[in-house]
Amino acid sequence: MEIQALLITFREVLEALLIVGIITTYLKRVNQKQYTKYVWLGAGLAVLASFGAAMLFQVVFTGFAAMGSEMYLKIGIMLVSTVLLTQMVFWMASHARDLKGNMEGKMSKFITTGNVVGMVIHSFLVVLREGIETVFFFAAITGGNIGAAMQGWGAITGGIIAAVVSYFFFKGTMRIPLSTFFKLTGAFIILISAGLLVQAISMMQDLNIIGSVIPHVYDLTWFLPEHPIDYSHYLRDHGTAPLLSGDIGIFLKALFGYSSMPSIEEVLAYIGYFVAILLLTSSKNTPVKAKKEEAAKSAKLLKPQAK
């Protein structure tokens, strides 16, 4: 859980800080520093609103637990989080290059019209989006115990690393292209998303919401059990210990959705998810390549005319 919390917090906090940093840097560059306080005001209000959303979410989850329906809520949260995580990765990958231009363009309009309220609302919504996503993802990886994720070392460390990275980025000492940076972090987020999807399917099968054609495609308990209990049970039943500890298995299960005895539906969902990601990635890259080729052809045609 802590590694998941670290990656998610790092990603979300970094996105928020980069956007706010781009806005404040632009205001300083155009000698409009007096508006910076309004940007930070909106960001601060968004952080408070995010904490409020976390507490509200916890109250709702507690209510479902009292009714004995928390498992159904957990499944719903995992499925929605899978969609949100995937969408988040693709959105940032496609907007990383023009993110700076878009933010500066919006702030230029606010400055021209003197729209202070617009600045506050804009920064509020930008940061609130990241905050609400973080709350939702924490609920997914902890099974509803958002407070445990927020107080753990993973979330705190992720926030600190994000702050340090954004600081060095705006100081000019870190010159990693944003698109490349978010692609690397996005790869880990995609693995977490796939794990949540598989865990949701496993829980639905445990509750008999969906059935299974082949309940156990293979059994790797002898090699890597997914829980310390499975480790001790295997040792008790076979007289020999599995090769790797159940603590490693529970870590991989939490991070990537590992299962020592997956159903055919879990295997197909896991493979199908990455196939879908590959198809979406290739379909988005095709128009970009086509545009580059057209631009190159146009440049070649114009060269003789220029001479």
Side-chain angles (χ1 to χ4, degrees):
M1 181 196 77
E2 297 298 346
I3 298 297
Q4 287 175 304
L6 187 152
L7 287 171
I8 289 171
T9 307
F10 169 69
R11 173 81 182 214
E12 296 290 342
V13 173
L14 182 62
E15 285 185 22
L17 288 177
L18 284 177
I19 293 173
V20 172
I22 288 171
I23 294 172
T24 55
T25 301
Y26 173 74
L27 290 175
K28 291 177 182 177
R29 194 170 73 242
V30 296
N31 296 318
Q32 299 291 341
K33 291 183 180 180
Q34 68 272 21
Y35 293 115
T36 302
K37 58 185 177 183
Y38 299 112
V39 175
W40 285 112
L41 173 62
L45 291 174
V47 171
L48 292 176
S50 299
F51 276 105
M55 289 189 288
L56 179 61
F57 202 104
Q58 194 68 66
V59 170
V60 172
F61 188 85
T62 303
F64 270 85
M67 294 185 293
S69 305
E70 71 272 18
M71 292 298 292
Y72 298 99
L73 182 59
K74 287 180 182 179
I75 292 170
I77 291 171
M78 286 182 174
L79 292 175
V80 174
S81 294
T82 299
V83 175
L84 288 177
L85 281 169
T86 307
Q87 181 272 336
M88 177 187 75
V89 171
F90 277 101
W91 186 89
M92 185 50 71
S94 61
H95 288 78
R97 292 182 179 179
D98 58 353
L99 182 64
K100 186 171 181 287
N102 287 339
M103 292 298 110
E104 291 182 352
K106 289 180 180 179
M107 294 310 295
S108 177
K109 291 180 181 178
F110 291 143
I111 292 171
T112 303
T113 58
N115 190 355
V116 174
V117 176
M119 292 182 186
V120 175
I121 294 175
H122 178 64
S123 58
F124 174 81
L125 292 177
V126 164
V127 177
L128 182 65
R129 175 179 179 269
E130 311 300 336
I132 296 298
E133 286 180 352
T134 303
V135 170
F136 215 90
F137 301 149
F138 279 0
I141 65 176
T142 62
N145 192 358
I146 302 172
M150 293 174 67
Q151 297 169 9
W153 64 264
I156 297 171
T157 305
I160 293 172
I161 295 174
V164 171
V165 169
S166 61
Y167 173 79
F168 284 114
F169 181 83
F170 286 106
K171 283 293 182 180
T173 53
M174 183 176 291
R175 299 188 179 279
I176 302 175
L178 286 181
S179 57
T180 303
F181 189 81
F182 282 113
K183 281 180 182 178
L184 292 174
T185 56
F188 288 101
I189 297 297
I190 287 295
L191 289 173
I192 292 175
S193 180
L196 289 175
L197 174 62
V198 171
Q199 289 183 62
I201 293 173
S202 177
M203 291 172 67
M204 284 190 285
Q205 290 178 330
D206 290 340
L207 294 173
N208 293 319
I209 297 175
I210 59 174
S212 177
V213 178
I214 304 176
H216 304 300
V217 178
Y218 52 79
D219 186 353
L220 294 179
T221 308
W222 61 272
F223 175 69
L224 178 60
E226 61 185 72
H227 198 280
I229 294 176
D230 299 315
Y231 183 95
S232 60
H233 284 180
Y234 188 89
L235 178 60
R236 178 197 64 192
D237 297 336
H238 296 82
T240 56
L243 293 179
L244 297 176
S245 169
D247 292 321
I248 300 175
I250 200 171
F251 169 78
L252 293 177
K253 183 178 181 64
L255 189 58
F256 302 127
Y258 168 76
S259 176
S260 58
M261 294 188 294
S263 66
I264 186 65
E265 291 79 15
E266 291 177 71
V267 173
L268 291 177
Y270 202 80
I271 295 173
Y273 177 81
F274 286 107
V275 170
I277 294 296
L278 182 62
L279 291 174
L280 286 170
T281 305
S282 59
S283 65
K284 287 194 174 186
N285 287 337
T286 301
V288 175
K289 289 180 180 178
K291 286 181 181 179
K292 287 183 178 180
E293 290 176 359
E294 287 180 7
K297 288 180 181 179
S298 299
K300 287 180 180 180
L301 293 172
L302 290 172
K303 277 184 180 180
Q305 295 177 9
K307 289 179 180 179

